[in-house]
Amino acid sequence: VARLLSSSKPTTLRVARRPEQTDLDFEQAKQSRLAQAAVRQAALCVGRGAFTLGAITPLPTELISIPPLVLSGRFPPQGGVQSLDANHHKPELNVWAEFSNGVATALQVSTGVGAEVTQGWILHHKQDAASATQGSASTNSH
């Protein structure tokens, strides 16, 4: 079940190419299929959050890593990964998906015996997550 709910790897998709289809039409068909798959990938976070509910008891100083959210796919027989074109989906998809991914990770935290999630623990993780996001944004801009 965990493998089915994973959103950290590109999905493998298939699009049949018709003989009369031009290269441009075929690329647009692939982007449309990839947009459908991206919505599915974004929704997997909700299922993963429910599946892993209360699964870990972190130490007060332990960082919880948020798995990457990959909204790209592979189209066999080509081996390369194709990213989703911004023109084929709404920008809100990324915001909603990243939020859901963070919530799914937070739902893993158990508040059972001996576990205490305080305001300080949350602020510690919030600051680390913000610096990690800024670091990856600056890496991607180069």
Side-chain angles (χ1 to χ4, degrees):
V1 174
R3 190 179 60 155
L4 290 173
L5 295 174
S6 174
S7 59
S8 60
K9 293 183 180 179
T11 58
T12 301
L13 306 166
R14 301 199 190 307
V15 175
R17 183 169 187 164
R18 298 183 316 269
E20 71 277 359
Q21 200 171 26
T22 66
D23 288 342
L24 180 62
D25 290 339
F26 183 58
E27 287 301 315
Q28 288 177 343
K30 289 190 331 186
Q31 281 294 319
S32 293
R33 178 65 182 103
L34 192 54
Q36 292 171 345
V39 171
R40 179 185 173 277
Q41 282 289 96
L44 287 177
C45 302
V46 177
R48 189 178 66 247
F51 180 68
T52 60
L53 182 66
I56 62 172
T57 306
L59 298 171
T61 58
E62 181 181 1
L63 290 178
I64 299 173
S65 62
I66 298 175
L69 182 64
V70 178
L71 303 177
S72 57
R74 286 192 170 90
F75 292 92
Q78 297 88 8
V81 176
Q82 185 168 353
S83 296
L84 181 62
D85 184 12
N87 296 328
H88 284 83
H89 75 287
K90 294 180 181 178
E92 295 85 30
L93 173 66
N94 293 345
V95 175
W96 174 80
E98 290 294 336
F99 173 77
S100 297
N101 198 29
V103 169
T105 302
L107 287 174
Q108 293 178 14
V109 177
S110 172
T111 56
V113 178
E116 186 177 343
V117 177
T118 63
Q119 181 181 6
W121 185 87
I122 293 170
L123 290 174
H124 171 71
H125 281 79
K126 182 179 178 182
Q127 291 169 352
D128 289 339
S131 63
T133 304
Q134 290 171 356
S136 66
S138 64
T139 303
N140 292 338
S141 64
H142 294 290

